[in-house]
Every structure is written in structure tokens, then in C-alpha cells.
Amino acid sequence: MNSQNRNSFSNHSACGDEPSAAEATLRLIARLPAPEGLEDRVHARLAADLRKGRILAWPTTLKADSGWMRTAAAAAIVFVVAGGGWGIYSRIPQPPSAKTILLQPRGPVQGGFSSSGAMRTPQTLNGPLLINPATPKLPATKAPFKTPGHPSLKPIRHGQLGGSSKNSVQPVAPVAK
Amino acid sequence: MSASQAVFSGWMEIPDSAVDDKARQYAEEAALAALVSQYAGTLYRVAFSVLRNPSDAEDAVQEAFLRVLRHRDTLGEVRDQRVWLIRIVWNIVLDRKRRAKTRPETDDVADLARVLPSGGMSAEQIASAAQHHAHVLAYVERLPAKEREVLMLSAFEELNSVEIASVLEISESSVRSRLFRARNLMAGLLDHTRSLR
């Protein structure tokens, strides 16, 4: 033990004899000699590990100083990054376009109520009501064609249109639907 | 053979770098062997003070030198090899102790009596001394980790306060304040047990 390196705590007792007693015990343990043959066993262990190749030293010829090593390392990094990116991209499903909307088919829910085959039909808007249907215009200016042999169809004279003639053509009454 | 000359052996050419590497490897191994011869005992005592188990302490020393072997190319950059080695083995034993979470083997009085030097004492005296040391060590174990570590390292006479600070990677003033607290705590613990008796 080197006496020049003796620390300043060895003879220092700040709190009476108890700490020095405790430190005496620790000092006693700290002074215990190493077992015989310790160095030889350590040497043997190191030699055995070197022989087994368990200690893998980085080859000095492959140090990062060499240019090709740097290039290979950079290429490997680029390859790994690009491959990883492509792997992620290929695994993500592409979102459907806006025109096609994929709806999941409705299947029977396990344990739920069934619809008993009923189909839901959506309500549609009511169509427009026809209140005043257009009446067909009668050609007044043209001469009525004669239908020979049919006594009920006679030419209408002027002034007889709104009259009380039995054979006058009445306008069609609106039909309420 | 100069370093710049290429060595031809039949058809094989041995480059200069290979010769340099071989020489460097031999130099590193020789430096490591010198470290083992010089500091194996110190490292063993540091390990034993924490683990208090001869086989575990020896195993920790071997593991420390295996770590040195792995980083042997950086040996030249180490400023103080002794403190560096003690820090390595200190971290190893603290890690092992943390993982084991078991009482040290020699806290048993009989084991302690076997390990500690007798110094011409009678069997009764040895047993009594062992009981006392076991009692003190049990109280040291009850100290907080920071204070306990400083107290343990302060027992090594070859380590001064600066080196203890370097091993624990704290400042020297922290070492002194922790040691003061450790002594106060030890005094309190021993007073308490004395009053209980």
C-alpha cells in the first residue's frame, strides 16, 4: 500500500469513537489481501477469451479512414432507409378516390335483433300536383272538317260556343287526384 | 526490416499496416498484462469491500479486465489508469449488488471470522471481534447509498478525496459533505443500539 496516497479521512474522526470504529471495520476489510494466484487466474481468463475469439476487436484495416469503407457504409444506410420507406409505403392501403364510396355490406349482427327480411325504402318527395291541366286549343279560324254521315258533329257557328246548345263541346273539368 | 518495406513470403505480400497492427497488438497486450499485475489486488479489495464474497469479488475483477481488454485501444488516452480501473470495478460491483439484492455472504459472523485476520487472538476473541464487525457492517448497509459509497471508498488508504471524487464522478466538496453525513448517521445508529441495550 502506498503511504503517499494515504487519504485525509484515515485519521479523521469527526463524531467521537463510533464512526472511527465503523471505519476501522471498513479499513480492516479494505486491507484484506487478495487471494493467492489471482493475477494468474485473470491472465488465464483473458488469454482464454482471446483464444476463443469472444473479444471481437474491430479490424484496424476496416477503420473508417478508408474511403471505400465510408462509401459502403453510406450505401448501406441509403439502402436501409429506402427499403424501409418502401416497405412502409407498400403496406399502407391507398385511400379510395372521391368518386367511389365503398360501403360495407350490412351483415347480420351476432346477438342482435334481426330485421326479419324487411327492406327499408327511403321516402321520396311528393311530385307536383296538376291543378289546372292545359286544355287543348280548338282551332277556331280554320274551317272544321266535315265528317260525313255523323249527325252529332256539326260545324259550330259563331255565337254558339257558350250557348245552351246540346251539342256544344264543354271544357273538361279539372280532376283532383 | 523497415516498416516501409513490404515483406515477401513466397507469393504472399504482407503489407506494412499488418506489421504495424501486429506490433500494436503486442504492445496493448503487454500493457494489459502490466495492469493486471499492478492493480489486480487493489481491484479485488475494492470489489470485496462491497460484495464481501471472495468468489464474487474475483469474478468482478476478471470482468473489469475483460472490459479493459475490449477497450484496449483507448488505454493510451486514460489519464489515471488506477482510478479508471477502480471506477470500472466499482460500477461492476454496484451493478451486481443491485441485481443480487441479497445480503453479503460474510455478514454471517462465522464467515466473517474466517475471512478476517486473527492476529494471534484466541478463538473467543476472534468470535467476539467478528460479531462486532458484522454488527458494524450491518449498520453500514443501512446508510443511504450515497453516504455508504463514500464511507466505503474512504476506507481505502490509497485513494485520496480527489480520486474518490473521480471514481464517484462527483466533486471533492460533495465527497467531504457526504462523508460527514455518513459519520453522523453511523454515530446516531450506534448510539441508538447502545441505548436499546
Side-chain angles (χ1 to χ4, degrees), chain A residues 5-7 9 12 15 18 23 25 27 30-32 41 45 49 60, chain B residues 21 44-45 48 58 62 66 133 154-157 159 179 183-184 194:
Chain A
N5 289 326
R6 181 175 285 258
N7 65 36
F9 310 128
H12 182 76
C15 306
E18 289 87 4
E23 287 172 57
T25 299
R27 243 176 273 140
R31 282 187 199 139
L32 285 175
R41 287 194 290 275
R45 173 89 181 267
D49 277 19
T60 51
Chain B
D21 291 342
Y44 175 83
R45 282 185 283 111
F48 185 81
E58 188 170 332
Q62 291 186 355
L66 282 176
H133 292 315
S154 71
F156 289 95
E157 293 176 347
L159 285 177
L179 186 61
R183 284 173 171 156
N184 279 334
R194 190 171 295 170

PDB file of all heavy atoms in Angstrom, chain A residues 5-7 9 12 15 18 23 25 27 30-32 41 45 49 60, chain B residues 21 44-45 48 58 62 66 133 154-157 159 179 183-184 194:
ATOM      1  N   ASN A   5      -0.172   7.955  -0.847  1.00  0.00           N
ATOM      2  CA  ASN A   5      -1.551   8.165  -1.279  1.00  0.00           C
ATOM      3  C   ASN A   5      -2.552   8.073  -0.132  1.00  0.00           C
ATOM      4  O   ASN A   5      -3.743   8.067  -0.363  1.00  0.00           O
ATOM      5  CB  ASN A   5      -1.920   7.115  -2.327  1.00  0.00           C
ATOM      6  CG  ASN A   5      -1.213   7.380  -3.627  1.00  0.00           C
ATOM      7  OD1 ASN A   5      -0.997   8.530  -3.971  1.00  0.00           O
ATOM      8  ND2 ASN A   5      -0.830   6.331  -4.315  1.00  0.00           N
ATOM      9  N   ARG A   6      -2.057   7.946   1.068  1.00  0.00           N
ATOM     10  CA  ARG A   6      -2.962   7.809   2.215  1.00  0.00           C
ATOM     11  C   ARG A   6      -3.920   8.995   2.241  1.00  0.00           C
ATOM     12  O   ARG A   6      -3.499  10.155   2.191  1.00  0.00           O
ATOM     13  CB  ARG A   6      -2.123   7.767   3.486  1.00  0.00           C
ATOM     14  CG  ARG A   6      -2.921   7.610   4.749  1.00  0.00           C
ATOM     15  CD  ARG A   6      -1.948   7.470   5.893  1.00  0.00           C
ATOM     16  NE  ARG A   6      -1.353   6.145   5.896  1.00  0.00           N
ATOM     17  CZ  ARG A   6      -1.747   5.177   6.727  1.00  0.00           C
ATOM     18  NH1 ARG A   6      -2.709   5.400   7.580  1.00  0.00           N
ATOM     19  NH2 ARG A   6      -1.177   4.003   6.699  1.00  0.00           N
ATOM     20  N   ASN A   7      -5.181   8.704   2.341  1.00  0.00           N
ATOM     21  CA  ASN A   7      -6.148   9.793   2.244  1.00  0.00           C
ATOM     22  C   ASN A   7      -6.288  10.521   3.563  1.00  0.00           C
ATOM     23  O   ASN A   7      -5.833  10.063   4.615  1.00  0.00           O
ATOM     24  CB  ASN A   7      -7.495   9.277   1.738  1.00  0.00           C
ATOM     25  CG  ASN A   7      -8.151   8.325   2.706  1.00  0.00           C
ATOM     26  OD1 ASN A   7      -8.042   8.490   3.910  1.00  0.00           O
ATOM     27  ND2 ASN A   7      -8.834   7.330   2.167  1.00  0.00           N
ATOM     28  N   PHE A   9      -8.884  11.008   5.246  1.00  0.00           N
ATOM     29  CA  PHE A   9     -10.001  10.546   6.081  1.00  0.00           C
ATOM     30  C   PHE A   9      -9.556   9.498   7.096  1.00  0.00           C
ATOM     31  O   PHE A   9     -10.294   9.184   8.016  1.00  0.00           O
ATOM     32  CB  PHE A   9     -11.102   9.922   5.220  1.00  0.00           C
ATOM     33  CG  PHE A   9     -11.505  10.804   4.076  1.00  0.00           C
ATOM     34  CD1 PHE A   9     -11.520  10.303   2.796  1.00  0.00           C
ATOM     35  CD2 PHE A   9     -11.871  12.122   4.289  1.00  0.00           C
ATOM     36  CE1 PHE A   9     -11.889  11.100   1.739  1.00  0.00           C
ATOM     37  CE2 PHE A   9     -12.250  12.912   3.220  1.00  0.00           C
ATOM     38  CZ  PHE A   9     -12.244  12.401   1.950  1.00  0.00           C
ATOM     39  N   HIS A  12      -9.178  10.859  10.545  1.00  0.00           N
ATOM     40  CA  HIS A  12     -10.150  11.894  10.828  1.00  0.00           C
ATOM     41  C   HIS A  12     -11.343  11.285  11.546  1.00  0.00           C
ATOM     42  O   HIS A  12     -11.968  10.361  11.074  1.00  0.00           O
ATOM     43  CB  HIS A  12     -10.608  12.526   9.506  1.00  0.00           C
ATOM     44  CG  HIS A  12     -11.586  13.635   9.688  1.00  0.00           C
ATOM     45  ND1 HIS A  12     -11.217  14.862  10.117  1.00  0.00           N
ATOM     46  CD2 HIS A  12     -12.915  13.681   9.502  1.00  0.00           C
ATOM     47  CE1 HIS A  12     -12.299  15.642  10.185  1.00  0.00           C
ATOM     48  NE2 HIS A  12     -13.335  14.934   9.823  1.00  0.00           N
ATOM     49  N   CYS A  15     -16.893  12.513  14.744  1.00  0.00           N
ATOM     50  CA  CYS A  15     -18.040  12.287  15.634  1.00  0.00           C
ATOM     51  C   CYS A  15     -17.750  11.252  16.692  1.00  0.00           C
ATOM     52  O   CYS A  15     -18.461  10.267  16.836  1.00  0.00           O
ATOM     53  CB  CYS A  15     -19.243  11.854  14.815  1.00  0.00           C
ATOM     54  SG  CYS A  15     -19.631  12.964  13.499  1.00  0.00           S
ATOM     55  N   GLU A  18     -17.439   6.217  17.628  1.00  0.00           N
ATOM     56  CA  GLU A  18     -18.287   5.297  16.878  1.00  0.00           C
ATOM     57  C   GLU A  18     -17.949   5.290  15.391  1.00  0.00           C
ATOM     58  O   GLU A  18     -17.774   4.216  14.829  1.00  0.00           O
ATOM     59  CB  GLU A  18     -19.765   5.637  17.096  1.00  0.00           C
ATOM     60  CG  GLU A  18     -20.287   5.303  18.469  1.00  0.00           C
ATOM     61  CD  GLU A  18     -20.048   6.426  19.454  1.00  0.00           C
ATOM     62  OE1 GLU A  18     -19.546   7.480  19.040  1.00  0.00           O
ATOM     63  OE2 GLU A  18     -20.375   6.235  20.636  1.00  0.00           O
ATOM     64  N   GLU A  23     -15.316   2.871  10.748  1.00  0.00           N
ATOM     65  CA  GLU A  23     -14.321   2.992   9.684  1.00  0.00           C
ATOM     66  C   GLU A  23     -13.179   2.011   9.892  1.00  0.00           C
ATOM     67  O   GLU A  23     -12.552   1.571   8.920  1.00  0.00           O
ATOM     68  CB  GLU A  23     -13.808   4.424   9.619  1.00  0.00           C
ATOM     69  CG  GLU A  23     -14.853   5.352   9.016  1.00  0.00           C
ATOM     70  CD  GLU A  23     -14.457   6.798   9.115  1.00  0.00           C
ATOM     71  OE1 GLU A  23     -13.386   7.145   8.621  1.00  0.00           O
ATOM     72  OE2 GLU A  23     -15.220   7.584   9.696  1.00  0.00           O
ATOM     73  N   THR A  25     -13.553  -0.984  10.948  1.00  0.00           N
ATOM     74  CA  THR A  25     -14.039  -2.241  10.356  1.00  0.00           C
ATOM     75  C   THR A  25     -13.893  -2.212   8.839  1.00  0.00           C
ATOM     76  O   THR A  25     -13.408  -3.170   8.220  1.00  0.00           O
ATOM     77  CB  THR A  25     -15.516  -2.455  10.731  1.00  0.00           C
ATOM     78  OG1 THR A  25     -15.625  -2.534  12.149  1.00  0.00           O
ATOM     79  CG2 THR A  25     -16.062  -3.709  10.105  1.00  0.00           C
ATOM     80  N   ARG A  27     -11.915  -0.368   7.129  1.00  0.00           N
ATOM     81  CA  ARG A  27     -10.494  -0.345   6.772  1.00  0.00           C
ATOM     82  C   ARG A  27      -9.887  -1.750   6.880  1.00  0.00           C
ATOM     83  O   ARG A  27      -9.040  -2.138   6.083  1.00  0.00           O
ATOM     84  CB  ARG A  27      -9.746   0.633   7.679  1.00  0.00           C
ATOM     85  CG  ARG A  27      -9.130   1.786   6.889  1.00  0.00           C
ATOM     86  CD  ARG A  27      -8.491   2.784   7.795  1.00  0.00           C
ATOM     87  NE  ARG A  27      -9.469   3.761   8.245  1.00  0.00           N
ATOM     88  CZ  ARG A  27      -9.536   4.252   9.467  1.00  0.00           C
ATOM     89  NH1 ARG A  27      -8.708   3.866  10.403  1.00  0.00           N
ATOM     90  NH2 ARG A  27     -10.438   5.163   9.772  1.00  0.00           N
ATOM     91  N   ALA A  30     -10.890  -3.450   3.877  1.00  0.00           N
ATOM     92  CA  ALA A  30     -10.200  -2.899   2.714  1.00  0.00           C
ATOM     93  C   ALA A  30      -8.744  -3.340   2.651  1.00  0.00           C
ATOM     94  O   ALA A  30      -8.125  -3.279   1.594  1.00  0.00           O
ATOM     95  CB  ALA A  30     -10.275  -1.379   2.751  1.00  0.00           C
ATOM     96  N   ARG A  31      -8.197  -3.752   3.774  1.00  0.00           N
ATOM     97  CA  ARG A  31      -6.793  -4.176   3.794  1.00  0.00           C
ATOM     98  C   ARG A  31      -6.626  -5.677   3.570  1.00  0.00           C
ATOM     99  O   ARG A  31      -5.506  -6.161   3.577  1.00  0.00           O
ATOM    100  CB  ARG A  31      -6.183  -3.813   5.149  1.00  0.00           C
ATOM    101  CG  ARG A  31      -5.809  -2.370   5.287  1.00  0.00           C
ATOM    102  CD  ARG A  31      -5.054  -2.169   6.584  1.00  0.00           C
ATOM    103  NE  ARG A  31      -5.062  -0.767   6.959  1.00  0.00           N
ATOM    104  CZ  ARG A  31      -5.240  -0.335   8.203  1.00  0.00           C
ATOM    105  NH1 ARG A  31      -5.444  -1.198   9.177  1.00  0.00           N
ATOM    106  NH2 ARG A  31      -5.215   0.953   8.479  1.00  0.00           N
ATOM    107  N   LEU A  32      -7.736  -6.368   3.424  1.00  0.00           N
ATOM    108  CA  LEU A  32      -7.620  -7.819   3.256  1.00  0.00           C
ATOM    109  C   LEU A  32      -6.803  -8.129   2.004  1.00  0.00           C
ATOM    110  O   LEU A  32      -7.009  -7.519   0.953  1.00  0.00           O
ATOM    111  CB  LEU A  32      -9.008  -8.456   3.117  1.00  0.00           C
ATOM    112  CG  LEU A  32      -9.827  -8.576   4.389  1.00  0.00           C
ATOM    113  CD1 LEU A  32     -11.208  -9.100   4.066  1.00  0.00           C
ATOM    114  CD2 LEU A  32      -9.136  -9.500   5.379  1.00  0.00           C
ATOM    115  N   ARG A  41      -4.902 -16.211 -12.503  1.00  0.00           N
ATOM    116  CA  ARG A  41      -6.246 -16.590 -12.969  1.00  0.00           C
ATOM    117  C   ARG A  41      -6.821 -15.537 -13.914  1.00  0.00           C
ATOM    118  O   ARG A  41      -7.500 -15.858 -14.891  1.00  0.00           O
ATOM    119  CB  ARG A  41      -7.164 -16.806 -11.771  1.00  0.00           C
ATOM    120  CG  ARG A  41      -6.873 -18.093 -11.020  1.00  0.00           C
ATOM    121  CD  ARG A  41      -7.987 -18.440 -10.059  1.00  0.00           C
ATOM    122  NE  ARG A  41      -8.056 -17.538  -8.928  1.00  0.00           N
ATOM    123  CZ  ARG A  41      -7.337 -17.652  -7.816  1.00  0.00           C
ATOM    124  NH1 ARG A  41      -6.462 -18.639  -7.693  1.00  0.00           N
ATOM    125  NH2 ARG A  41      -7.478 -16.795  -6.819  1.00  0.00           N
ATOM    126  N   ARG A  45      -7.807 -16.167 -17.775  1.00  0.00           N
ATOM    127  CA  ARG A  45      -9.154 -15.859 -18.282  1.00  0.00           C
ATOM    128  C   ARG A  45      -9.074 -14.966 -19.516  1.00  0.00           C
ATOM    129  O   ARG A  45      -9.789 -15.191 -20.503  1.00  0.00           O
ATOM    130  CB  ARG A  45      -9.950 -15.174 -17.169  1.00  0.00           C
ATOM    131  CG  ARG A  45     -11.295 -14.635 -17.580  1.00  0.00           C
ATOM    132  CD  ARG A  45     -12.384 -15.674 -17.433  1.00  0.00           C
ATOM    133  NE  ARG A  45     -13.671 -15.149 -17.866  1.00  0.00           N
ATOM    134  CZ  ARG A  45     -14.548 -14.576 -17.051  1.00  0.00           C
ATOM    135  NH1 ARG A  45     -14.280 -14.458 -15.759  1.00  0.00           N
ATOM    136  NH2 ARG A  45     -15.706 -14.152 -17.509  1.00  0.00           N
ATOM    137  N   ASP A  49     -10.218 -16.012 -23.277  1.00  0.00           N
ATOM    138  CA  ASP A  49     -11.206 -15.251 -24.044  1.00  0.00           C
ATOM    139  C   ASP A  49     -10.636 -14.772 -25.375  1.00  0.00           C
ATOM    140  O   ASP A  49     -11.356 -14.695 -26.374  1.00  0.00           O
ATOM    141  CB  ASP A  49     -11.696 -14.058 -23.220  1.00  0.00           C
ATOM    142  CG  ASP A  49     -12.802 -14.472 -22.269  1.00  0.00           C
ATOM    143  OD1 ASP A  49     -12.911 -15.680 -21.999  1.00  0.00           O
ATOM    144  OD2 ASP A  49     -13.551 -13.603 -21.807  1.00  0.00           O
ATOM    145  N   THR A  60      -8.421  -3.296 -37.706  1.00  0.00           N
ATOM    146  CA  THR A  60      -7.849  -1.972 -37.985  1.00  0.00           C
ATOM    147  C   THR A  60      -7.871  -1.659 -39.464  1.00  0.00           C
ATOM    148  O   THR A  60      -7.868  -0.506 -39.857  1.00  0.00           O
ATOM    149  CB  THR A  60      -6.413  -1.917 -37.475  1.00  0.00           C
ATOM    150  OG1 THR A  60      -5.713  -3.053 -37.975  1.00  0.00           O
ATOM    151  CG2 THR A  60      -6.385  -1.922 -35.957  1.00  0.00           C
TER     152      THR A  60
ATOM    153  N   ASP B  21      -0.019  -3.375 -37.124  1.00  0.00           N
ATOM    154  CA  ASP B  21      -1.121  -3.868 -36.286  1.00  0.00           C
ATOM    155  C   ASP B  21      -0.645  -4.951 -35.335  1.00  0.00           C
ATOM    156  O   ASP B  21      -1.040  -4.986 -34.177  1.00  0.00           O
ATOM    157  CB  ASP B  21      -2.238  -4.421 -37.167  1.00  0.00           C
ATOM    158  CG  ASP B  21      -2.927  -3.321 -37.931  1.00  0.00           C
ATOM    159  OD1 ASP B  21      -2.774  -2.149 -37.525  1.00  0.00           O
ATOM    160  OD2 ASP B  21      -3.600  -3.628 -38.929  1.00  0.00           O
ATOM    161  N   TYR B  44      -9.414  -6.186  -6.399  1.00  0.00           N
ATOM    162  CA  TYR B  44     -10.061  -7.246  -5.619  1.00  0.00           C
ATOM    163  C   TYR B  44     -10.556  -6.689  -4.281  1.00  0.00           C
ATOM    164  O   TYR B  44     -11.674  -6.989  -3.849  1.00  0.00           O
ATOM    165  CB  TYR B  44      -9.083  -8.398  -5.385  1.00  0.00           C
ATOM    166  CG  TYR B  44      -9.650  -9.461  -4.482  1.00  0.00           C
ATOM    167  CD1 TYR B  44     -10.482 -10.448  -4.983  1.00  0.00           C
ATOM    168  CD2 TYR B  44      -9.366  -9.456  -3.107  1.00  0.00           C
ATOM    169  CE1 TYR B  44     -11.030 -11.401  -4.150  1.00  0.00           C
ATOM    170  CE2 TYR B  44      -9.908 -10.407  -2.269  1.00  0.00           C
ATOM    171  CZ  TYR B  44     -10.732 -11.378  -2.802  1.00  0.00           C
ATOM    172  OH  TYR B  44     -11.281 -12.319  -1.969  1.00  0.00           O
ATOM    173  N   ARG B  45      -9.738  -5.891  -3.637  1.00  0.00           N
ATOM    174  CA  ARG B  45     -10.147  -5.366  -2.325  1.00  0.00           C
ATOM    175  C   ARG B  45     -11.328  -4.412  -2.449  1.00  0.00           C
ATOM    176  O   ARG B  45     -12.225  -4.406  -1.596  1.00  0.00           O
ATOM    177  CB  ARG B  45      -8.948  -4.685  -1.653  1.00  0.00           C
ATOM    178  CG  ARG B  45      -8.005  -5.730  -1.055  1.00  0.00           C
ATOM    179  CD  ARG B  45      -6.859  -5.134  -0.285  1.00  0.00           C
ATOM    180  NE  ARG B  45      -5.835  -4.616  -1.167  1.00  0.00           N
ATOM    181  CZ  ARG B  45      -5.549  -3.332  -1.322  1.00  0.00           C
ATOM    182  NH1 ARG B  45      -6.228  -2.428  -0.657  1.00  0.00           N
ATOM    183  NH2 ARG B  45      -4.599  -2.963  -2.141  1.00  0.00           N
ATOM    184  N   PHE B  48     -14.259  -6.669  -3.002  1.00  0.00           N
ATOM    185  CA  PHE B  48     -14.622  -7.429  -1.800  1.00  0.00           C
ATOM    186  C   PHE B  48     -15.286  -6.536  -0.746  1.00  0.00           C
ATOM    187  O   PHE B  48     -16.174  -6.989  -0.009  1.00  0.00           O
ATOM    188  CB  PHE B  48     -13.374  -8.093  -1.214  1.00  0.00           C
ATOM    189  CG  PHE B  48     -13.681  -8.989  -0.055  1.00  0.00           C
ATOM    190  CD1 PHE B  48     -14.139 -10.284  -0.257  1.00  0.00           C
ATOM    191  CD2 PHE B  48     -13.539  -8.544   1.252  1.00  0.00           C
ATOM    192  CE1 PHE B  48     -14.441 -11.106   0.808  1.00  0.00           C
ATOM    193  CE2 PHE B  48     -13.844  -9.358   2.327  1.00  0.00           C
ATOM    194  CZ  PHE B  48     -14.296 -10.647   2.104  1.00  0.00           C
ATOM    195  N   GLU B  58     -13.615 -11.850  -7.038  1.00  0.00           N
ATOM    196  CA  GLU B  58     -12.655 -12.254  -8.074  1.00  0.00           C
ATOM    197  C   GLU B  58     -13.297 -12.230  -9.454  1.00  0.00           C
ATOM    198  O   GLU B  58     -12.680 -11.821 -10.438  1.00  0.00           O
ATOM    199  CB  GLU B  58     -12.122 -13.652  -7.748  1.00  0.00           C
ATOM    200  CG  GLU B  58     -10.984 -14.059  -8.658  1.00  0.00           C
ATOM    201  CD  GLU B  58     -10.292 -15.332  -8.192  1.00  0.00           C
ATOM    202  OE1 GLU B  58     -10.299 -15.597  -6.983  1.00  0.00           O
ATOM    203  OE2 GLU B  58      -9.740 -16.032  -9.046  1.00  0.00           O
ATOM    204  N   GLN B  62     -12.135 -10.032 -12.772  1.00  0.00           N
ATOM    205  CA  GLN B  62     -11.930 -10.581 -14.116  1.00  0.00           C
ATOM    206  C   GLN B  62     -12.807  -9.872 -15.146  1.00  0.00           C
ATOM    207  O   GLN B  62     -12.365  -9.581 -16.261  1.00  0.00           O
ATOM    208  CB  GLN B  62     -12.244 -12.079 -14.091  1.00  0.00           C
ATOM    209  CG  GLN B  62     -11.219 -12.873 -13.295  1.00  0.00           C
ATOM    210  CD  GLN B  62     -11.425 -14.360 -13.386  1.00  0.00           C
ATOM    211  OE1 GLN B  62     -12.395 -14.819 -13.983  1.00  0.00           O
ATOM    212  NE2 GLN B  62     -10.524 -15.123 -12.789  1.00  0.00           N
ATOM    213  N   LEU B  66     -11.683  -7.789 -18.447  1.00  0.00           N
ATOM    214  CA  LEU B  66     -12.240  -8.111 -19.769  1.00  0.00           C
ATOM    215  C   LEU B  66     -12.766  -6.844 -20.454  1.00  0.00           C
ATOM    216  O   LEU B  66     -12.629  -6.676 -21.663  1.00  0.00           O
ATOM    217  CB  LEU B  66     -13.369  -9.135 -19.621  1.00  0.00           C
ATOM    218  CG  LEU B  66     -12.939 -10.583 -19.395  1.00  0.00           C
ATOM    219  CD1 LEU B  66     -14.158 -11.453 -19.166  1.00  0.00           C
ATOM    220  CD2 LEU B  66     -12.157 -11.097 -20.580  1.00  0.00           C
ATOM    221  N   HIS B 133     -17.673  -6.708  14.124  1.00  0.00           N
ATOM    222  CA  HIS B 133     -17.540  -6.244  12.735  1.00  0.00           C
ATOM    223  C   HIS B 133     -18.817  -6.507  11.937  1.00  0.00           C
ATOM    224  O   HIS B 133     -19.243  -5.666  11.134  1.00  0.00           O
ATOM    225  CB  HIS B 133     -16.352  -6.940  12.062  1.00  0.00           C
ATOM    226  CG  HIS B 133     -15.036  -6.527  12.625  1.00  0.00           C
ATOM    227  ND1 HIS B 133     -14.690  -5.212  12.883  1.00  0.00           N
ATOM    228  CD2 HIS B 133     -13.956  -7.261  13.018  1.00  0.00           C
ATOM    229  CE1 HIS B 133     -13.473  -5.150  13.374  1.00  0.00           C
ATOM    230  NE2 HIS B 133     -12.995  -6.380  13.475  1.00  0.00           N
ATOM    231  N   SER B 154     -13.652   5.704   1.371  1.00  0.00           N
ATOM    232  CA  SER B 154     -12.713   6.423   2.240  1.00  0.00           C
ATOM    233  C   SER B 154     -11.877   5.460   3.069  1.00  0.00           C
ATOM    234  O   SER B 154     -10.845   5.851   3.617  1.00  0.00           O
ATOM    235  CB  SER B 154     -13.485   7.368   3.160  1.00  0.00           C
ATOM    236  OG  SER B 154     -14.193   6.624   4.126  1.00  0.00           O
ATOM    237  N   ALA B 155     -12.319   4.213   3.179  1.00  0.00           N
ATOM    238  CA  ALA B 155     -11.547   3.236   3.945  1.00  0.00           C
ATOM    239  C   ALA B 155     -10.297   2.793   3.184  1.00  0.00           C
ATOM    240  O   ALA B 155      -9.390   2.232   3.787  1.00  0.00           O
ATOM    241  CB  ALA B 155     -12.423   2.025   4.248  1.00  0.00           C
ATOM    242  N   PHE B 156     -10.267   3.066   1.871  1.00  0.00           N
ATOM    243  CA  PHE B 156      -9.085   2.686   1.090  1.00  0.00           C
ATOM    244  C   PHE B 156      -8.033   3.772   1.213  1.00  0.00           C
ATOM    245  O   PHE B 156      -8.249   4.907   0.761  1.00  0.00           O
ATOM    246  CB  PHE B 156      -9.460   2.471  -0.378  1.00  0.00           C
ATOM    247  CG  PHE B 156     -10.263   1.236  -0.584  1.00  0.00           C
ATOM    248  CD1 PHE B 156     -11.636   1.286  -0.610  1.00  0.00           C
ATOM    249  CD2 PHE B 156      -9.635   0.007  -0.723  1.00  0.00           C
ATOM    250  CE1 PHE B 156     -12.383   0.143  -0.765  1.00  0.00           C
ATOM    251  CE2 PHE B 156     -10.378  -1.136  -0.885  1.00  0.00           C
ATOM    252  CZ  PHE B 156     -11.757  -1.077  -0.906  1.00  0.00           C
ATOM    253  N   GLU B 157      -6.936   3.412   1.830  1.00  0.00           N
ATOM    254  CA  GLU B 157      -5.924   4.421   2.113  1.00  0.00           C
ATOM    255  C   GLU B 157      -5.209   4.882   0.854  1.00  0.00           C
ATOM    256  O   GLU B 157      -4.588   5.943   0.856  1.00  0.00           O
ATOM    257  CB  GLU B 157      -4.925   3.866   3.118  1.00  0.00           C
ATOM    258  CG  GLU B 157      -5.572   3.646   4.478  1.00  0.00           C
ATOM    259  CD  GLU B 157      -4.624   3.012   5.470  1.00  0.00           C
ATOM    260  OE1 GLU B 157      -3.567   2.534   5.037  1.00  0.00           O
ATOM    261  OE2 GLU B 157      -4.972   2.994   6.649  1.00  0.00           O
ATOM    262  N   LEU B 159      -6.617   5.782  -1.791  1.00  0.00           N
ATOM    263  CA  LEU B 159      -7.460   6.726  -2.537  1.00  0.00           C
ATOM    264  C   LEU B 159      -7.613   8.009  -1.734  1.00  0.00           C
ATOM    265  O   LEU B 159      -8.087   7.982  -0.595  1.00  0.00           O
ATOM    266  CB  LEU B 159      -8.851   6.122  -2.780  1.00  0.00           C
ATOM    267  CG  LEU B 159      -8.999   5.047  -3.844  1.00  0.00           C
ATOM    268  CD1 LEU B 159     -10.430   4.536  -3.867  1.00  0.00           C
ATOM    269  CD2 LEU B 159      -8.635   5.598  -5.211  1.00  0.00           C
ATOM    270  N   LEU B 179     -19.272  12.339   3.393  1.00  0.00           N
ATOM    271  CA  LEU B 179     -18.553  11.596   4.430  1.00  0.00           C
ATOM    272  C   LEU B 179     -18.946  12.109   5.826  1.00  0.00           C
ATOM    273  O   LEU B 179     -19.111  11.317   6.761  1.00  0.00           O
ATOM    274  CB  LEU B 179     -17.048  11.732   4.209  1.00  0.00           C
ATOM    275  CG  LEU B 179     -16.180  10.881   5.127  1.00  0.00           C
ATOM    276  CD1 LEU B 179     -16.464   9.403   4.930  1.00  0.00           C
ATOM    277  CD2 LEU B 179     -14.706  11.161   4.886  1.00  0.00           C
ATOM    278  N   ARG B 183     -20.723   9.782   8.708  1.00  0.00           N
ATOM    279  CA  ARG B 183     -20.198   9.602  10.072  1.00  0.00           C
ATOM    280  C   ARG B 183     -21.254   9.971  11.104  1.00  0.00           C
ATOM    281  O   ARG B 183     -21.392   9.280  12.131  1.00  0.00           O
ATOM    282  CB  ARG B 183     -18.947  10.451  10.255  1.00  0.00           C
ATOM    283  CG  ARG B 183     -17.749   9.821   9.570  1.00  0.00           C
ATOM    284  CD  ARG B 183     -16.568  10.725   9.591  1.00  0.00           C
ATOM    285  NE  ARG B 183     -15.363  10.037   9.117  1.00  0.00           N
ATOM    286  CZ  ARG B 183     -14.311  10.649   8.612  1.00  0.00           C
ATOM    287  NH1 ARG B 183     -14.318  11.961   8.492  1.00  0.00           N
ATOM    288  NH2 ARG B 183     -13.267   9.957   8.225  1.00  0.00           N
ATOM    289  N   ASN B 184     -21.979  11.039  10.851  1.00  0.00           N
ATOM    290  CA  ASN B 184     -23.041  11.429  11.785  1.00  0.00           C
ATOM    291  C   ASN B 184     -24.126  10.353  11.865  1.00  0.00           C
ATOM    292  O   ASN B 184     -24.604  10.026  12.947  1.00  0.00           O
ATOM    293  CB  ASN B 184     -23.670  12.748  11.345  1.00  0.00           C
ATOM    294  CG  ASN B 184     -22.839  13.942  11.779  1.00  0.00           C
ATOM    295  OD1 ASN B 184     -22.106  13.862  12.756  1.00  0.00           O
ATOM    296  ND2 ASN B 184     -22.953  15.035  11.040  1.00  0.00           N
ATOM    297  N   ARG B 194     -26.930   1.255  21.306  1.00  0.00           N
ATOM    298  CA  ARG B 194     -26.350   1.207  22.658  1.00  0.00           C
ATOM    299  C   ARG B 194     -27.415   1.547  23.695  1.00  0.00           C
ATOM    300  O   ARG B 194     -27.468   0.947  24.775  1.00  0.00           O
ATOM    301  CB  ARG B 194     -25.184   2.200  22.743  1.00  0.00           C
ATOM    302  CG  ARG B 194     -24.353   2.068  24.002  1.00  0.00           C
ATOM    303  CD  ARG B 194     -23.119   2.910  23.919  1.00  0.00           C
ATOM    304  NE  ARG B 194     -22.227   2.444  22.862  1.00  0.00           N
ATOM    305  CZ  ARG B 194     -21.163   3.116  22.443  1.00  0.00           C
ATOM    306  NH1 ARG B 194     -20.888   4.295  22.926  1.00  0.00           N
ATOM    307  NH2 ARG B 194     -20.391   2.634  21.515  1.00  0.00           N
TER     308      ARG B 194
END
